[in-house]
Amino acid sequence: MTKYQQIVEYIEKCIKNEIFPKGSAIPSEQELGAMFQCSRMTVRRALDELAAEGVVYKTKGRGTFVSNIAFDRLYSLKGFSQIMREQGIDYSSEVLIFEILNSSKDVAQHLKILQETEVYCLKRVRKAMGKAISIECVYLPVQEFPGLMDYDFAQCSLYETLANVYGVKIERAVQSISTEDIEGEEAKILFGKKKGVALKSVSVGYGKNFKPVEYENALYNGYKYTIDVVIKGEN
Amino acid sequence: MTKYQQIVEYIEKCIKNEIFPKGSAIPSEQELGAMFQCSRMTVRRALDELAAEGVVYKTKGRGTFVSNIAFDRLYSLKGFSQIMREQGIDYSSEVLIFEILNSSKDVAQHLKILQETEVYCLKRVRKAMGKAISIECVYLPVQEFPGLMDYDFAQCSLYETLANVYGVKIERAVQSISTEDIEGEEAKILFGKKKGVALKSVSVGYGKNFKPVEYENALYNGYKYTIDVVIKGEN
DNA sequence: TAGTGGTCTAGACCACTCA
DNA sequence: GAGTGGTCTAGACCACTAT
């Protein structure tokens, strides 16, 4: 573990234990440098990281202060399983479709691949406490993830499988949210009715080299579920 | 302008002019240091900023490369006026309510102020090309923004007024998106019907010291309008 | 083996805030 | 005027990638 990571951890711990209470000043860069026997640049590296996360904020000429709000480190980009597990919610997934097909124009465009290229199509119903929350359909290029069909995604987390088995982590995603009239099977699953208005999310997840990894199309019961987002400004 | 900002600008310009094409390696940190007559640390400061924005990505032992996707620098956090202007869309706003009232419990909690504290309530209809897109209701503490009633927010951008007049910039926001049944006046404005299902956005904007600045409650016609979001991972 | 980015040092000068 | 964060230097060693 590097020195600046140690400093980050130390400060996070102090904030959590309220040794550095919310709104208070933390030790100056010089003091921290003395504490950790390191140069000021190393301390700055740590503080800049904490400032980018919103844990602290800096004011020139005054000092560095603990933020009054604790944002989640990464609000979304977690995947359903992780979010549910963290919140201690009893969840499950039901696989409706898992197959290989030739990509449509829409899917190909979003994944930046040629039309008719083979893609996995994984359609699942997400449930929390036994009730359907969303119907989610994910497309991934077969070429990038050979052997994905061996996994049972009623049990496995897709995000975790991509990360652990293929070493691919979603670094960034672009999501568009709208409403959509739905009926038939989907309406029945989400609302228990013949027709309804769903919260629709279309998103593309990008990997390390900013190459599209997954294209996802999800319908939520927007009366029971909200999509939460943290939006960050410059810096 | 600082040196690292000059380097950032130079690289952004080269990428835009395709002097550094997408996917290609940009000059190494040493080379850039020689070009700009500066130390490697200064170059790194510039490259780290570009990497955080997703403009370039770095790989240890290989080099720094131009990303294949260009994300907007700040996707949201712009406010309605700015987004519309950037996209060249003809827009307008109609003020339904602009008054000072004592904050409800809900508003007080989100703004982290005492209940019954005076807040501005600004309710506007947002229109693009003459058609209503959203009904937006913003609450701001009166104490922080004395004299706000002097402005006509049918014409002025709220975000720009906060920034230019009061020096307050929204640095971060948390937004929750869901669906909501609406009827009466609101349904008539958004859908031209007696009833409808709207895309509902509840958000809190935070300023420099992560103090809540504004609490906003908006209803969108989710059939005509989508909420777009960029979600970033760690780093 | 040569080149790259990742980490780190021990200084320096500046603009800013606050008493 | 003392202290703070913002910027910058001119080196250093390391782990990693490529050939």
Side-chain angles (χ1 to χ4, degrees):
Chain A
M1 178 183 270
T2 63
K3 239 173 201 174
Y4 74 85
Q5 285 172 326
Q6 289 172 35
I7 301 176
V8 166
E9 283 210 351
Y10 167 75
I11 292 169
E12 280 181 334
K13 210 179 74 186
C14 287
I15 291 173
K16 191 176 281 179
N17 299 344
E18 297 192 47
I19 297 169
F20 303 158
K22 284 184 181 180
S24 69
I26 71 171
S28 73
E29 296 179 349
Q30 263 191 1
E31 286 176 294
L32 285 166
M35 282 172 61
F36 284 89
Q37 291 290 307
C38 68
S39 79
R40 205 182 133 212
M41 287 298 273
T42 306
V43 174
R44 285 183 61 75
R45 166 77 197 257
L47 294 189
D48 285 346
E49 208 154 292
L50 289 166
E53 283 172 18
V55 176
V56 301
Y57 63 94
K58 301 165 133 200
T59 308
K60 195 202 286 193
R62 293 219 312 139
T64 304
F65 304 85
V66 180
S67 296
N68 295 302
I69 308 270
F71 294 98
D72 278 357
R73 202 181 256 241
L74 8 159
Y75 211 87
S76 205
L77 271 191
K78 283 184 177 174
F80 180 79
S81 308
Q82 198 182 341
I83 291 172
M84 291 298 151
R85 218 161 38 221
E86 281 178 9
Q87 302 195 354
I89 296 171
D90 172 47
Y91 67 96
S92 61
S93 299
E94 183 188 332
V95 175
L96 298 183
I97 298 172
F98 192 18
E99 60 183 13
I100 293 176
L101 43 81
N102 296 320
S103 71
S104 66
K105 195 178 167 189
D106 175 55
V107 171
Q109 275 180 349
H110 282 96
L111 290 178
K112 299 212 185 272
I113 56 177
L114 293 174
Q115 202 171 333
E116 302 294 331
T117 308
E118 282 192 329
V119 290
Y120 296 108
C121 170
L122 171 60
K123 187 169 185 176
R124 291 186 286 184
V125 178
R126 306 298 215 157
K127 294 177 184 175
M129 297 172 287
K131 285 182 181 172
I133 282 185
S134 73
I135 302 169
E136 185 192 289
C137 190
V138 187
Y139 299 90
L140 304 122
V142 171
Q143 208 194 329
E144 308 287 330
F145 306 103
L148 200 66
M149 300 283 286
D150 295 346
Y151 298 88
D152 173 13
F153 289 109
Q155 306 302 326
C156 304
S157 157
L158 177 61
Y159 271 41
E160 283 167 20
T161 304
L162 296 186
N164 300 334
V165 179
Y166 299 91
V168 173
K169 224 178 69 190
I170 309 293
E171 304 267 345
R172 208 173 269 235
V174 176
Q175 185 175 25
S176 294
I177 299 159
S178 56
T179 51
E180 188 167 84
D181 292 317
I182 61 170
E183 52 183 37
E185 188 63 26
E186 290 177 337
K188 209 173 155 192
I189 292 171
L190 280 186
F191 302 108
K193 296 192 298 187
K194 279 189 180 170
K195 286 184 176 185
V197 181
L199 197 57
K200 186 185 184 186
S201 157
V202 175
S203 68
V204 180
Y206 299 88
K208 166 82 183 171
N209 45 0
F210 295 94
K211 207 170 57 176
V213 171
E214 51 127 19
Y215 170 53
E216 184 186 304
N217 212 308
L219 297 169
Y220 294 86
N221 179 335
Y223 299 100
K224 290 185 183 163
Y225 189 85
T226 64
I227 299 178
D228 293 335
V229 176
V230 172
I231 304 161
K232 259 187 64 183
E234 297 162 78
N235 305 326
Chain B
M1 178 181 268
T2 63
K3 239 172 201 174
Y4 74 86
Q5 285 172 327
Q6 290 174 34
I7 301 176
V8 166
E9 282 209 350
Y10 167 77
I11 292 170
E12 281 180 335
K13 211 178 73 185
C14 287
I15 291 173
K16 192 176 280 178
N17 299 344
E18 297 192 48
I19 299 168
F20 304 157
K22 283 184 182 182
S24 70
I26 70 172
S28 73
E29 297 179 350
Q30 263 192 0
E31 286 175 294
L32 285 167
M35 283 171 62
F36 284 88
Q37 291 291 306
C38 69
S39 79
R40 205 184 134 211
M41 286 300 271
T42 306
V43 174
R44 284 182 61 74
R45 167 77 196 258
L47 295 189
D48 285 347
E49 208 153 291
L50 289 165
E53 283 171 19
V55 176
V56 301
Y57 63 95
K58 302 164 133 201
T59 309
K60 195 201 288 194
R62 293 219 309 139
T64 303
F65 303 85
V66 181
S67 296
N68 295 302
I69 307 269
F71 293 96
D72 279 355
R73 201 182 257 241
L74 9 159
Y75 210 89
S76 204
L77 270 192
K78 283 185 180 175
F80 179 79
S81 308
Q82 198 182 343
I83 291 172
M84 292 299 150
R85 220 162 37 221
E86 280 178 10
Q87 303 195 353
I89 295 171
D90 172 46
Y91 68 96
S92 61
S93 298
E94 182 188 331
V95 175
L96 298 182
I97 299 172
F98 191 17
E99 60 182 12
I100 293 177
L101 43 80
N102 296 320
S103 71
S104 66
K105 195 178 165 189
D106 175 54
V107 171
Q109 275 180 350
H110 283 96
L111 290 177
K112 298 214 187 268
I113 56 177
L114 291 175
Q115 201 172 331
E116 303 294 332
T117 308
E118 282 191 328
V119 290
Y120 296 108
C121 170
L122 171 60
K123 188 169 183 176
R124 292 186 285 183
V125 179
R126 306 300 214 155
K127 295 177 183 173
M129 298 172 286
K131 285 183 182 173
I133 282 185
S134 73
I135 302 170
E136 186 191 288
C137 189
V138 187
Y139 298 91
L140 305 122
V142 171
Q143 207 195 329
E144 308 287 330
F145 306 103
L148 200 66
M149 300 282 287
D150 296 346
Y151 298 87
D152 173 13
F153 290 108
Q155 306 301 327
C156 304
S157 157
L158 176 61
Y159 271 41
E160 283 167 21
T161 305
L162 296 186
N164 300 335
V165 179
Y166 300 91
V168 173
K169 226 178 69 191
I170 310 291
E171 305 267 344
R172 207 173 270 235
V174 176
Q175 186 176 25
S176 294
I177 300 159
S178 56
T179 52
E180 188 166 86
D181 293 317
I182 61 172
E183 52 183 38
E185 188 62 26
E186 290 177 337
K188 209 174 155 190
I189 292 171
L190 280 186
F191 301 108
K193 294 193 299 187
K194 280 189 180 172
K195 287 185 177 185
V197 181
L199 197 57
K200 185 185 185 184
S201 157
V202 174
S203 68
V204 180
Y206 298 89
K208 165 82 182 170
N209 45 0
F210 296 94
K211 206 170 56 176
V213 171
E214 49 127 20
Y215 171 52
E216 184 186 303
N217 212 310
L219 297 169
Y220 294 85
N221 179 334
Y223 298 99
K224 290 185 182 162
Y225 189 84
T226 64
I227 299 177
D228 293 335
V229 176
V230 172
I231 304 161
K232 260 186 63 184
E234 295 162 80
N235 304 327

